[in-house]
Amino acid sequence: MEMVYCRPDTLTDTPFHYCPGCGHSVVHRVLMEVVEELGIQDKTIGVAPVGCSVFAYHYMNVDMQEAAHGRASAVATGIKRVLPDRYVFSYQGDGDLAAIGTAETIHTVNRGENILMVFINNGIYGMTGGQMAPTSLLGQVTTTSPYGRDVKMVGHPIKIADLLIHLPGAYYVTRQAVHNPNAVRKLKKAFEKSFQYQKEGKGTCFVEVVSNCPSGWRMTPVESIKYLEETMFPAYPLGDLKVPEKV
Amino acid sequence: MEEKKNKNGEAKLMKGNEALAEAAIRAKIDAYFGYPITPQSEVLEYLEREIPKRSGLVLQAESEIASINMIYGAAGAGARVMTSSSGPGISLMQEGLSYIASAQLPCLVVNVVRGGPGLGTIQPSQGDYFQAVKGGGHGDYHLIVLAPASVQEMADFVFEGFRLAEKYRNPAMILTDGALGQMMEKVIQPEEGSLPKIKTPWATTGKTKDRDHNIITSLFIKPEEMESVNHQLQEKYRKIERDEVRFEEIKTNDAEIILVAFGLSSRICQKTVDLGREKGIKIGLLRPITLYPYPYKRLNELADQVDFMMSVEMNAGQMVEDVKLAVEGKVPVYFTGRMGGMIPSPDDVLHEIESIIEKQNVLQD
Ligand SMILES: Cc1ncc(C[n+]2csc(CCOP(=O)(O)OP(=O)(O)O)c2C)c(N)n1
Ligand code: SF4
């Protein structure tokens, strides 16, 4: 029998601990598929965040470091600066990247650090049980915004990718998703491009994935997909935000 | 200051901070990440000026939080890395230091201490003793802490700090102060490249076919596992405490009074020893060179021969707690010092000693 689909070598055989239907597992798989297909497993170093994907290093079969909450891009900077010929990526949630780690995020991109930053925006703090994130939508009910996110108290959801495109160090900024096969194919392309740009030393590639958190959202996986399409995507429109200028 | 000459060249007049920075280049650091703060900005400035002409990498980070996390990443990738700061910046690094200690990565952190608490003053202080030797960040860990007392040692301890950090895969700290950082003295630099690089098979350099993927982490979610990592760390610390204690003794042989002081205050106390002896008071000095591990054992031995000990510090009395622990109540332990960027004079210290002697005589009469 011909094998048509299997686990890439770049994923370990440790089963994912993610909740059923959670986008993290799909993003892990797509990212690692690209690393395998590009044949760069031995040159790739990842940085895991603090958040639900804290154990990304158990699943991704590449050398990895676990960073303190919010600091993944600084850690990735340290790695890339001493190993400039390796492919370095960071992987962070929205609390990690857009709240506690905002300074590191902005300055890493501003330096044009030649890395790939993967940003999982699920509009909530998954790991700690579904608290409000800086990306939570107005009116969104979470455990720390039980009456809905109130703009007067905590301001608007932060669209971090929209901010980053203004920094010259950002070479490629895109917002993708994993809610259907077509979206997955596009995400894969975004990762492929990012590694190619990194090889060419172009600067920071920032790939946001608007993802779901069925547990934190108190929804079934199917409901969460509907919520993504009806509520999240209008607030965080998918597509490229910054692409290299054509020469 | 003894003028030395050796094959590394002539003794050269240098500022403490610059001597330290030059030694870092000679130690062949792969990278330095830092953020400006008085009184140690010369370290970053010197490296920004010199490294591009020589070897290594220097990067000014957006904060001390970023610096220490860059250090974590680069150390985890197997590089020899260093940062430096002063009190307020070192406070920001505590989270990172705890992670680095837990993940067992070698690196060198320099604290050129200024007066605190808070934003404090830029004048010299030893107020960060607790923070340096008792942890500072969360959890059970230790930094290996070296306390230079001269510009020469500012340079030498860079090599020593890396040697110890790499031997034990543990962050090391040079705890010095604004005066030593700013003062100029003659220094002979360690020979460039004379510090061998260690092998780092654990580093994240890219997973090759012949090995499992390397993981640098401080997360051990199962308590059994976390406890066993803690046991590992504690075993390492016991070994360090057994093998790496360093101190200097001055005129302790016949001493009836022992001063205990590190860094700048030990230099002041050297003068006090001489002043006292001119008056017939048999004072000796023990200068801990490693603040962690601490010379508890030697102080305990010395306690058998003296009337009392006195810890002299530029703070409100931090190390004195360790002196008390060391002597186990055998003799009284006193403290004297100045705070907030003030430096005690040799006479101040002698005066304290004389007033204690006087009180003791009154009690004995
Ligand atoms: C300094 C610090 N503060 C708080 C926490 C607790 N904490 C762990 S994960 C997390 C939020 C993670 O949310 P996000 O980054 O959105 O990732 P997700 O879990 O949703 O994937 C928080 C606040 C921590 N580990 N460290
Ligand atoms: S809590 Fe949310 S983000 Fe975390 S694994 Fe579950 S679904 Fe995914």
Side-chain angles (χ1 to χ4, degrees):
Chain A
M1 226 193 326
E2 193 197 352
M3 176 89 86
V4 289
Y5 193 73
C6 66
R7 176 174 54 78
D9 252 2
T10 42
L11 281 176
T12 65
D13 52 14
T14 308
F16 288 134
H17 71 279
Y18 299 109
C19 306
C22 173
H24 274 305
S25 10
V26 187
V27 182
H28 281 24
R29 159 132 203 158
V30 175
L31 182 60
M32 286 300 109
E33 270 180 14
V34 171
V35 169
E36 160 139 282
E37 285 164 21
L38 295 175
I40 56 171
Q41 183 184 22
D42 59 339
K43 291 189 194 68
T44 300
I45 300 153
V47 181
V50 171
C52 276
S53 48
V54 66
F55 282 129
Y57 56 77
H58 279 331
Y59 315 123
M60 301 187 186
N61 193 17
V62 292
D63 281 1
M64 286 195 78
Q65 297 195 23
E66 212 301 300
H69 195 28
R71 319 297 173 215
S73 64
V75 172
T77 298
I79 300 170
K80 184 73 184 186
R81 290 297 180 122
V82 296
L83 298 173
D85 64 340
R86 306 299 203 282
Y87 296 91
V88 176
F89 71 86
S90 58
Y91 185 108
Q92 297 175 267
D94 41 3
D96 197 83
L97 182 141
I100 194 165
T102 313
E104 286 79 7
T105 300
I106 288 184
H107 286 279
T108 300
V109 178
N110 194 49
R111 285 189 302 268
E113 217 58 62
N114 194 27
I115 61 170
L116 161 64
M117 295 173 70
V118 182
F119 171 44
I120 309 300
N121 176 6
N122 57 17
I124 207 158
Y125 285 16
M127 178 172 223
T128 36
Q131 295 83 7
M132 181 179 59
T135 48
S136 296
L137 302 179
L138 289 184
Q140 187 175 335
V141 173
T142 71
T143 59
T144 52
S145 56
Y147 307 108
R149 179 176 181 149
D150 176 1
V151 68
K152 283 211 193 72
M153 285 295 280
V154 292
H156 289 269
I158 187 166
K159 294 186 178 179
I160 202 93
D162 294 66
L163 292 175
L164 295 177
I165 57 173
H166 299 290
L167 302 174
Y171 188 71
Y172 172 53
V173 180
T174 188
R175 190 181 281 128
Q176 302 292 337
V178 285
H179 63 300
N180 65 33
N182 195 31
V184 168
R185 273 192 291 274
K186 282 190 187 156
L187 176 65
K188 198 166 171 179
K189 275 268 169 310
F191 286 152
E192 283 166 5
K193 277 191 217 166
S194 300
F195 282 118
Q196 181 58 34
Y197 296 145
Q198 186 168 159
K199 187 178 179 182
E200 294 164 9
K202 296 292 193 190
T204 313
C205 294
F206 188 89
V207 178
E208 171 171 348
V209 182
V210 184
S211 189
N212 59 345
C213 176
S215 299
W217 294 355
R218 312 287 189 262
M219 290 177 193
T220 65
V222 174
E223 285 165 354
S224 77
I225 300 297
K226 194 158 172 262
Y227 181 82
L228 266 176
E229 288 171 331
E230 289 173 2
T231 316
M232 285 287 275
F233 296 155
Y236 297 104
L238 303 186
D240 290 340
L241 282 86
K242 187 173 187 179
V243 291
E245 279 164 37
K246 294 236 159 53
V247 273
Chain B
M1 189 59 209
E2 191 195 349
E3 264 196 52
K4 295 189 289 181
K5 277 188 187 170
N6 68 7
K7 65 177 159 57
N8 303 327
E10 305 275 309
K12 199 178 157 196
L13 202 59
M14 284 187 105
K15 236 186 192 193
N17 286 334
E18 296 191 338
L20 178 134
E22 172 61 29
I25 298 177
R26 288 165 178 259
K28 294 272 178 214
I29 52 166
D30 295 299
Y32 170 97
F33 302 99
Y35 187 84
I37 183 171
T38 311
Q40 64 77 56
S41 295
E42 294 89 357
V43 179
L44 175 60
E45 288 167 352
Y46 189 94
L47 294 174
E48 289 282 4
R49 197 165 64 233
E50 292 300 318
I51 278 186
K53 297 187 249 170
R54 293 161 74 179
S55 69
L57 176 133
V58 53
L59 181 64
Q60 179 171 336
E62 67 271 24
S63 69
E64 291 86 351
I65 297 178
S67 312
I68 197 69
N69 284 285
M70 291 173 186
I71 292 280
Y72 173 97
R80 180 174 282 166
V81 282
M82 168 175 152
T83 184
S84 63
S85 186
S86 184
I90 299 287
S91 293
L92 284 182
M93 292 186 192
Q94 293 305 327
E95 176 197 41
L97 284 170
S98 171
Y99 276 68
I100 290 171
S102 179
Q104 305 204 50
L105 300 175
C107 68
L108 181 63
V109 177
V110 181
N111 185 356
V112 185
V113 184
R114 55 193 250 170
L119 194 51
T121 163
I122 58 174
Q123 299 304 320
S125 159
Q126 297 180 326
D128 293 358
Y129 178 88
F130 281 153
Q131 193 195 40
V133 306
K134 305 290 179 191
H138 54 289
D140 285 302
Y141 73 92
H142 281 289
L143 309 175
I144 298 168
V145 184
L146 294 165
S150 63
V151 172
Q152 182 64 54
E153 285 185 347
M154 290 284 272
D156 292 344
F157 288 4
V158 170
F159 275 55
E160 199 50 20
F162 276 121
R163 208 181 61 69
L164 290 168
E166 290 170 6
K167 177 173 176 190
Y168 293 100
R169 282 186 62 187
N170 199 72
M173 173 174 278
I174 293 180
L175 187 75
T176 179
D177 66 71
L180 281 162
Q182 298 298 324
M183 75 168 61
M184 289 187 86
E185 283 183 340
K186 289 222 168 123
V187 54
I188 290 175
Q189 282 291 343
E191 194 185 337
E192 185 147 355
S194 62
L195 189 65
K197 290 250 156 131
I198 50 154
K199 292 211 161 63
T200 54
W202 41 264
T204 57
T205 51
K207 183 212 166 314
T208 43
K209 290 267 176 263
D210 55 341
R211 67 159 169 85
D212 278 347
H213 62 156
N214 282 342
I215 295 165
I216 302 293
T217 187
S218 65
L219 174 66
F220 307 95
I221 200 86
K222 294 193 191 105
E224 296 81 3
E225 216 183 312
M226 189 73 252
E227 189 181 44
S228 96
V229 170
N230 266 287
H231 278 308
Q232 239 184 56
L233 289 174
Q234 292 304 317
E235 248 170 61
K236 174 164 88 176
Y237 299 145
R238 294 302 88 75
K239 196 165 175 331
I240 293 171
E241 287 160 10
R242 200 183 61 223
D243 297 343
E244 308 296 350
V245 177
R246 263 154 246 195
F247 53 87
E248 181 188 10
E249 289 183 46
I250 291 162
K251 301 195 176 139
T252 51
N253 270 347
D254 62 341
E256 289 164 1
I257 294 160
I258 295 261
L259 297 176
V260 189
F262 68 94
L264 188 68
S265 45
S266 73
R267 292 177 60 147
I268 293 154
C269 287
Q270 273 194 45
K271 295 223 175 69
T272 307
V273 168
D274 294 340
L275 290 175
R277 283 182 178 259
E278 278 166 25
K279 290 188 168 183
I281 311 170
K282 288 188 177 159
I283 310 175
L285 167 67
L286 186 135
R287 165 171 89 99
I289 292 172
T290 50
L291 298 179
Y292 180 84
Y294 196 74
Y296 291 110
K297 199 160 141 247
R298 183 56 189 149
L299 279 170
N300 188 277
E301 286 164 11
L302 286 168
D304 293 330
Q305 75 174 55
V306 300
D307 293 338
F308 65 87
M309 292 197 184
M310 186 191 274
S311 184
V312 183
E313 306 171 50
M314 285 147 51
N315 58 38
Q318 299 189 10
M319 183 180 70
V320 65
E321 294 188 2
D322 284 318
V323 182
K324 283 184 181 165
L325 275 177
V327 306
E328 293 180 310
K330 287 179 183 173
V331 289
V333 174
Y334 299 95
F335 163 77
T336 188
R338 300 289 300 268
M339 297 172 282
M342 297 301 289
I343 304 174
S345 76
D347 282 320
D348 289 343
V349 179
L350 185 60
H351 185 77
E352 278 299 314
I353 292 170
E354 285 173 330
S355 69
I356 290 166
I357 294 173
E358 207 168 293
K359 268 187 221 143
Q360 284 187 335
N361 288 343
V362 169
L363 286 176
Q364 275 161 13
D365 285 347

